[in-house]
Amino acid sequence: MEMNKDFLWGGSIAAHQCEGAVKEGNKGTGIMDLVTVGAYGQPREIHREFQAESRYPSHQGIDFYHRYKEDIALFAEMGFKALRISIDWSRIFPKGDEEEPNQAGLEFYHDVVDELLKQKIEPIVTLYHFEMPIHLVTKYGSWTNRKVVDFYLKFCETMFQSLNNKVKYWVTFNEMNHIDPQTEASDIFTYIIAGLKYSEIEDKKQTLATIGYNMTVASCMAVELGHKINPENKIGCVFGIEPVYPVDCNPENVLKAFQQMDRDFYQIDAMCNGEFPKYKIREYQAIGIDLTVNEADQQAFKNGKLDFIGMNYYASSVAEYEGAETGASALFGGLQNPFLKTSKWGWTIDPVGIRYLLNYTYRKYGLPIIITENGLGAVDEIGEDGHIHDEYRIAYLKDHILEVKKAVEIDQVDCFGYLMWGPIDLVSATTGQMSKRYGFIHVDLDDEGRGSLNRSRKDSFDWYKQTIAENAGNLSAQ
């Protein structure tokens, strides 16, 4: 199997990390608008209301709200076939529970989508990428409340109808699978997904199970709704998943690795297999979690199966094992792999892991897969010639794309696109920093919000342009 000539090369961005314009177009306050900038080793602070002395990076972003035409032109210059964007829910329904949508918000996303289509770039629209109106958290308790599922579906219906026949590829949620009642979580991870701080949740296990379930059924209901509105819609969900390796071939450790890796798949099971997995309900019952799947929900799981799976891949980990020393943990738990290098932010660099994960997931579900995020956060330095020579980013992406190519051409995996995360520098979701840069395009902005916001091409810009033009033919899979 060759790389398809229609393979969707491109990138992914998210509204709260790039748009800015927090008080324009009648936008409401989203959950990420209340999170401060962090620093190396220091988490972002989560506030209940704005504090004048604090810096909230989402308020400015990289000003994509006003500069989207310039940015999309640069993506087109690279030859992008697709761009994944997200809709900020609080731009469409500022509080989340209004009767009528905000027209200014709808018009903005129409303008962005029209510009993408004009440049022959396929829009891939994520409906929920950490952008819930804060009002739905403070008044209703976020995803613990089934009313929020109804508000979400109204928001989805509004966007499906509004962008009908302009957008073909839709994503219901981004990385909801990091909420797991059986493991400890950080405040920032539960907050970006559901607007709730882990440390403040009283009944943690029950609450996280309820949130995970409600978001899962909401996704299935949204898929069914999107197909009713337009049967041509292709609707998927994006998951942040990683391979988990055993520390050795001790069968106990191999089993632990399987269990820790499989933990992230129960929601994909629910969205692909037509029912909420019985094993998960029994697991919950064994630890005192009460979860009831009613008849309407059962029907939703049957009728709302995904058309494709979106895969965010950054790192792998080693499963925890008996006698392991406590030390550096991996991105989503587990242990660091001593065979692998890490980024400045401690994320392991494992190109083979993306091939492993593509194979594992495709054989498990048989659905088309698109890589929706993959990239390297790094500190870029401007050289004496005024340019950024980011050979480390080129090496990272080359190694990962080569493994995707092997998965397609050698392993026969149906992968139909590769969207690099952060094709233009943007605000980091986990740290709030600008200094953690991913892009092919440099944005002149520092962690304190200082800079001209001017855009400039890095060396990786031309490399990715060539890779797209040659459909990765410049990389050998043999």
Side-chain angles (χ1 to χ4, degrees):
M1 184 190 290
E2 293 287 317
M3 296 286 276
N4 192 302
K5 62 180 176 58
D6 298 321
F7 192 82
L8 293 178
W9 294 102
S12 288
I13 58 176
H16 72 96
Q17 292 168 268
C18 66
E19 283 180 5
V22 75
K23 293 182 179 175
E24 295 189 48
N26 304 319
K27 173 179 149 48
T29 301
I31 56 177
M32 296 305 287
D33 296 330
L34 291 164
V35 189
T36 68
V37 66
Y40 299 112
Q42 295 178 353
R44 305 182 72 176
E45 292 178 13
I46 299 162
H47 295 164
R48 297 184 191 279
E49 55 188 32
F50 297 127
Q51 298 178 14
E53 69 280 6
S54 295
R55 170 163 157 67
Y56 304 97
S58 72
H59 293 201
Q60 181 181 26
I62 57 165
D63 198 31
F64 180 78
Y65 189 85
H66 296 110
R67 297 168 182 254
Y68 67 88
K69 287 187 179 180
E70 174 190 354
D71 294 342
I72 290 170
L74 286 165
F75 299 149
E77 185 184 332
M78 267 188 283
F80 274 29
K81 303 286 193 285
L83 182 73
R84 177 176 163 238
I85 63 171
S86 72
I87 306 291
D88 188 331
W89 188 349
S90 64
R91 282 202 189 278
I92 308 303
F93 291 97
K95 294 172 73 175
D97 59 358
E98 293 93 342
E99 283 298 315
E100 297 297 326
N102 170 34
Q103 288 303 314
L106 291 173
E107 287 166 14
F108 168 68
Y109 291 111
H110 269 279
D111 290 344
V112 172
V113 166
D114 288 346
E115 191 66 22
L116 288 168
L117 294 173
K118 177 182 163 187
Q119 296 282 10
K120 297 182 169 50
I121 297 173
E122 187 83 53
I124 300 176
V125 172
T126 304
L127 291 160
Y128 188 91
H129 195 137
F130 315 150
E131 289 140 358
M132 171 182 273
I134 194 69
H135 176 73
L136 296 183
V137 179
T138 55
K139 182 173 180 180
Y140 298 95
S142 182
W143 294 100
T144 62
N145 190 333
R146 281 299 287 249
K147 282 184 180 178
V148 169
V149 174
D150 296 333
F151 295 137
Y152 169 75
L153 292 172
K154 182 173 183 176
F155 162 62
C156 291
E157 182 176 17
T158 300
M159 298 317 303
F160 286 141
Q161 296 281 15
S162 185
L163 295 174
N164 193 22
N165 295 318
K166 288 187 178 184
V167 174
K168 179 170 77 172
Y169 291 100
W170 299 87
V171 169
T172 55
F173 286 92
N174 179 78
E175 291 194 5
M176 65 155 98
N177 57 299
H178 298 319
I179 284 187
D180 180 5
Q182 292 164 284
T183 58
E184 292 283 319
S186 66
D187 277 351
I188 191 64
F189 267 119
T190 55
Y191 184 82
I192 63 179
I193 295 168
L196 300 171
K197 291 168 74 170
Y198 183 78
S199 60
E200 294 177 359
I201 297 171
E202 288 187 19
D203 188 347
K204 290 178 169 53
K205 289 183 178 180
Q206 180 66 52
T207 301
L208 294 185
T210 301
I211 289 169
Y213 177 82
N214 285 344
M215 293 178 88
T216 305
V217 77
S219 176
C220 293
M221 289 175 171
V223 170
E224 185 178 7
L225 183 63
H227 286 153
K228 280 182 180 172
I229 289 169
N230 188 337
E232 298 298 310
N233 280 334
K234 300 295 182 189
I235 310 173
C237 188
V238 164
F239 303 92
I241 41 183
E242 63 174 30
V244 180
Y245 306 133
V247 70
D248 56 27
C249 52
N250 179 332
E252 288 286 341
N253 292 330
V254 174
L255 179 61
K256 281 186 178 125
F258 167 76
Q259 289 170 331
Q260 287 184 36
M261 179 165 166
D262 203 58
R263 213 170 41 203
D264 268 346
F265 282 84
Y266 83 90
Q267 289 168 317
I268 317 181
D269 288 348
M271 294 183 207
C272 296
N273 296 340
E275 66 173 4
F276 194 80
K278 294 184 180 70
Y279 70 80
K280 185 55 73 172
I281 293 172
R282 289 195 288 267
E283 275 180 30
Y284 284 169
Q285 287 172 343
I287 56 174
I289 293 172
D290 178 32
L291 203 63
T292 303
V293 183
N294 64 38
E295 204 169 309
D297 290 357
Q298 287 175 350
Q299 208 56 47
F301 289 122
K302 286 178 184 172
N303 298 341
K305 293 182 187 178
L306 299 177
D307 296 315
F308 66 90
I309 293 169
M311 183 181 289
N312 292 353
Y313 176 80
Y314 292 99
S316 62
S317 67
V318 173
E320 293 175 15
Y321 58 95
E322 198 74 37
E325 292 181 16
T326 56
S329 63
L331 180 56
F332 302 127
L335 306 169
Q336 292 281 25
N337 190 327
F339 290 95
L340 301 173
K341 294 178 181 177
T342 62
S343 74
K344 182 177 175 66
W345 280 267
W347 298 12
T348 54
I349 298 172
D350 178 12
V352 174
I354 200 169
R355 181 181 181 186
Y356 177 96
L357 200 57
L358 280 165
N359 273 275
Y360 182 90
T361 308
Y362 184 60
R363 280 160 174 70
K364 193 168 166 68
Y365 303 107
L367 283 179
I369 300 169
I370 180 170
I371 299 297
T372 37
E373 291 183 25
N374 174 235
L376 177 69
V379 175
D380 292 331
E381 293 185 6
I382 299 173
E384 291 181 7
D385 59 358
H387 294 286
I388 292 172
H389 304 292
D390 56 340
E391 67 286 344
Y392 42 88
R393 183 169 291 110
I394 293 170
Y396 176 98
L397 294 172
K398 180 180 179 181
D399 289 347
H400 283 75
I401 291 171
L402 179 57
E403 295 301 324
V404 173
K405 187 175 164 73
K406 289 177 184 176
V408 172
E409 296 185 351
I410 298 173
D411 307 332
Q412 313 304 319
V413 172
D414 183 1
C415 177
F416 66 96
Y418 175 89
L419 308 178
M420 174 268 197
W421 173 249
I424 184 169
D425 292 343
L426 38 65
V427 175
S428 166
T430 51
T431 71
Q433 294 171 290
M434 277 300 300
S435 54
K436 185 182 182 183
R437 297 179 183 273
Y438 286 86
F440 303 118
I441 301 162
H442 175 73
V443 177
D444 180 28
L445 186 69
D446 68 13
D447 290 345
E448 301 306 314
R450 299 170 302 217
S452 66
L453 288 169
N454 287 343
R455 275 60 165 156
S456 59
R457 300 162 186 79
K458 305 176 190 178
D459 284 359
S460 56
F461 183 102
D462 291 325
W463 175 83
Y464 197 51
K465 180 178 181 178
Q466 181 193 2
T467 299
I468 295 172
E470 297 188 27
N471 204 25
N474 55 328
L475 309 175
S476 172
Q478 300 303 319

